[in-house]
Amino acid sequence: MDSELRRSITTFEPNTPPRSGRLIFRSPDDPGSTVEWSLAEAVPALCRARHSGAHPTVEFWRAATLVAVEQVKERRIVPDVHTVTGSVVWRLDRSGDDELLEDLESRAPDGVRNAREYLDAVADYLATPDVNAGVGIALRLELPGGVDALEASTPGERLLAVVQIHALAETANIEDLTELWTDGERFGPGARAATMLGLRRAAGVWAPLERLLRQQVPDRLALDDDEVSDLLGGGAERLAAAGIGLAWPPEIATELGVTAVIPTSGPLSHPSSHGRRVDDIFAFDGIEPLHLSWRFTLGGAELTQTELDVIAASRGPFAKVRGQWVLVDPRLAEKASETEPKTVNALDALGAALTGTAEIGGERFTVEPTGWLEKLRDRIAAPESGDEPVEAPAQLRATLRDYQLRGLRWLHRMTSLGLGACLADDMGLGKTITVIALHLHRQSDPSTAGRTLVVCPASLMGNWEREIARFAPGTPVRRFHGSSRDIEAVLDHTDRGFVITTYGTMRLDAGDNDDALSIAPWGMLVSDEAQHIKNARSKTAQALRAIPASARIALTGTPVENNLAELWAILDWTTPGLLGSRHQFQSRWADPIESGRAPHATEAARRLTRLVGPFLLRRRKSDPGIAPELPPKTVTDRPVSLTAEQVRLYETAVRDTMARIATSEGMARRGLVLALLTALKQICNHPAQYLKEPLGAPGRSGKLDLLDELVGTITSEGDAVLVFTQYVSMARLLDEHLGAQGVPVQVLHGGTPVDQREQMVRRFQESPDGAAPVFILSLKAAGTGLNLTRAGHVIHYDRWWNPAVEEQATDRAYRIGQTRPVQVHRLIAEGTVEDRIAAMLETKRDLADAVLGSGETALSELSDAELAELVELRGAHE
Amino acid sequence: MSELAKGFPAFPARKRRTRRAQTWWGNAWIDALEDTSLDSDALRRGRVFAHGGHVGTITVSPGRISATVFGDDHTPHDTVVALDELSEADWERLLDAIASKAGHVAALLDRDMPYELAETADDAGVSLLPGIDDLEPRCTCDDWGHPCTHAAALCYQASWLLDADPFLLLLMRGRAEDDVLAELQRRNAHPSSPDSTNAAPELDPATADRIITEASARAAELLTRLCHR
């Protein structure tokens, strides 16, 4: 048993019949990963296992195995008719008063169950040979005549394949099959049958093994030269894939290898930004296809042409090079006689350079790049270790954190090479500001200066505008959105600035060459929340692909690397051709990885990581290099637009109530003012809340749409979130809405009994990542001892208009015990009273103090004109 | 421990109607039925019954298969198709012949019966598969046919069972799967072993004692060879 298994928490799963029960080893390092052993694997291995250093559960099952085996040896077993199947099964005989069994059970560690079932299962296993026992098969090739036989010019059966077997779980203890036939019980009951079955299946993989099956004892098989060639030329690989190992005779060298070499010369050319077509944003356009040739080595040393000629001339599987016999793969011999080099396009060559391998003619070869290709690989292979002298632009009104600066350098490197990139940092790490910095940096070079088009969900447009205004003041920004959108007007006002549009608008205005977004010249194209284009066949994704731009950047907070289809869709937009067509990607990467078959799957996954690594940068908040740079608490205002329905309700409420306020006084007036403020806040939240009706169709509230974006990203990051609203009715609507989407939600409000509160808090705090990730709270943050530090995010769905209250609520997540940085998102309906009061709280201290002192009643003392200014709806809305 | 009678739940009615079985031995079984019959109409109705779910639980045991088959008017009939068991001497020769090739044993373990295995049996003078007149139908119905519709239906369904598990043929011929496999492995491992079968079909005291002795030996083997004590 290897040491990881020995340290595993181990349980026994009974089954029918008892002998088919399984021991399950749960990895100590990764509880999600388990290894299952049949009794045929477990019993011999546990008998053999050493005593020390094992997990208590492993030690228990070892002791139990010994007890059971001992009992069986003493013939203390009895047959039983199985109650379900009616067939005969065996169990330990407990008729005597047996101290041994009781003693064993008294030693069971906590949590160990099914000890008796296990003992009976071992008895049943030993009494009933099981044809499905686990036996591994291997072939050892011998050279009975020694190397002298190879000198003989007459080909014949010169190699002998000796069949070997080992217990499935114990590859180290391998023995010749002859042993099993002379000493049958060595590998446990049923091993012989399992071996024959295994050989029958192996013969299906490599046909010459069928001859073994015609023998009574399938122990050895003479192979002729053609069969050896076939084995070298793919048979051995197929056998290995079927789990059958092969050992070549030590007298013959096997290290004849071939590497694909891609020689390149000249400097790495830099792209220019003009005159690119949509399809060839790749910087290597204009570079001729590259050539690929073979380099042969024996034991690491390159072969001479003369030696190659010997190999090319060898007709059989053996050749003598440098006085030594070597095995010659017929495919390799064929390459040795090739004279024409193969051609390969530049992007495929880069892929080969990054992965270190290439698939040529259905086979995989090691690839060595040289010249500029090697330099390019070295330059992009490690995204965060670039040394280019790119600093945060002077116009940027913020100090970039170190990782943001590394992100900026990387984005600059990839975009200036024309390669495109996907920045997939966790939400809150500052992807937006990094892109703004990149935009400013690009303006300093005439070859990259130009407009940037940002495509994002409608709920994020306001955020982009604000961040640009805040971090790059003076940089023009315009929305291209709404029914009266006019591309000419937008372009006139955004020289070297930003244009913000939504996926919905983009779908309408791109796709054909004469569509507004397709004709405009874009310096850089940014797809924010790029998971929106994960379905490459959708109209949205197609339209985005049709927009020409010299630099393409995808931003996403979701872990795209976990979803191969999504990964392909995003990178095939940023860097067309890198991952091949959808179909190629599926067969080359997705199929082998998703098959889960080791070692193919892990090997393919490792290669894909190397290929994709330079193009995809994902930093987690929890990364050791990132966390120390983050402030413990970051507050972000999230502006959202009102929907048309919200605008209508809002304006009606303002008009009607302001008219009544103008004609009333005293208490009546105060009541009307407060009612108006409440109505407006509810309209901003959701029309359904204001109208006291069910949620209805989607798309009625800008806030709810943004909440969906945020919650989606947070939960896909495996994080948890507290959502605060001051209205119980809104909390119920949110519960209903998120619940309908299958997001596990808990709701706590002022009326929740204390014991239930505690239960909810415990569930939230103790749930493993991914379970119960959303906690909606509707209460003033009274000191109820709510400690909700599992949440990395806090969303204030509406404003309290009292920073102290808001802060207290936030501190539920950010308090002692919180080890991770907390992100606070305040949703603010743009141009509304929410927006206005938030701004006032920041700038007008006296009003802020008044509000702080007496709450909203202070607002009822405002004059009609002041009030009108406060509640009036401004700005562009749908 | 051998199961000498195996029960199979009734086949539900099927949409796709195939006349033939999936395997060569399943088809050989059908041929034996059809070649015996003088009444192609009874065969045709038998197929309709087989596909229409008229056959109840089928029991396979040495020398016979049986089931309750329901007529058009839902009348139940006790239907049996008998097949000769092999003699002890036949079994001896058959098991020796199969055990002489590892591939035959492996094929059976894989629920496969290669044509060569039947040839090997023929060479040993044993007919594994039924031929003309080897299937003997009996039914409680008043039908004149030989076989009657009900027996034909049972035979067609039996071919489906055989497709999935050739051991059922060996069971009809007198020996249960566990027994056959144990014998084959024993003979395969000890080619010269002169003492023939002592495997009693049921779990009589002698068999139980033998199993306990074998289990005890395995346990002793494990303890002496493997354990660090």
Side-chain angles (χ1 to χ4, degrees), chain A residues 126 181 183 200-201 213, chain B residues 103 110 112 188 216 218 225:
Chain A
L126 286 168
W181 252 252
D183 180 8
R200 179 176 151 85
R201 284 163 195 170
L213 294 170
Chain B
D110 232 1
D112 186 13
N188 175 270
S216 167
R218 282 182 205 116
R225 275 190 186 272

Side-chain angles (χ1 to χ4, degrees), chain A residues 414-436:
Chain A
M414 299 307 282
T415 50
S416 57
L417 287 166
L419 286 171
C422 174
L423 181 59
D425 289 346
D426 268 0
M427 179 159 68
L429 291 188
K431 294 189 286 288
T432 308
I433 189 175
T434 310
V435 167
I436 293 169

